[in-house]
Amino acid sequence: MTQTRYAFIKANWHSDIVDQSLAGFREEIGADAQIDVFDVPGAFEMPLVAKDLAATGSYDAIACAAFVVDGGIYRHDFVAQAVVDGLMRAGLDTNVPVLSVSLTPHAYQETDHHNEIYRAHFIEKGREAARAAKMIVKTRAAIKAA
């Protein structure tokens, strides 16, 4: 039996928060799978790298994590929408599941209190992405076996 292999792409913007999703993902996936980690500058670059990785045929699923915050202009909503659309398109174009752990809070302030809340939240979102990744890999295997 081949070991399940995942790619995990994480944006470096707010890496102290985003990196927590990888911790949660690793915790939930367990030691039976391989996780290759790739850093990108920000959320906007994730869809292209996800598509490149999916095209290799080496990964059973790809998870992507970013924190797109409201910097005082309305741009964050457009970036978040473009990223999620791009991730979905990467998965559909390559036939490899691409999962999003991309969050866009409207009330984030760069304070110790908010940073603590979002670090904990990203751990849980990483766990959820891992559960989703395992489920979609299992479901797709069952479809192929049918």
Side-chain angles (χ1 to χ4, degrees), residues 46-47 50-51 62 64 80-100:
M46 291 190 313
K51 188 172 181 178
I62 299 168
C64 302
Q81 186 65 51
V83 168
V84 172
D85 288 348
L87 294 177
M88 179 59 71
R89 191 170 61 245
L92 292 172
D93 288 352
T94 62
N95 203 31
V96 174
V98 178
L99 307 164
S100 175

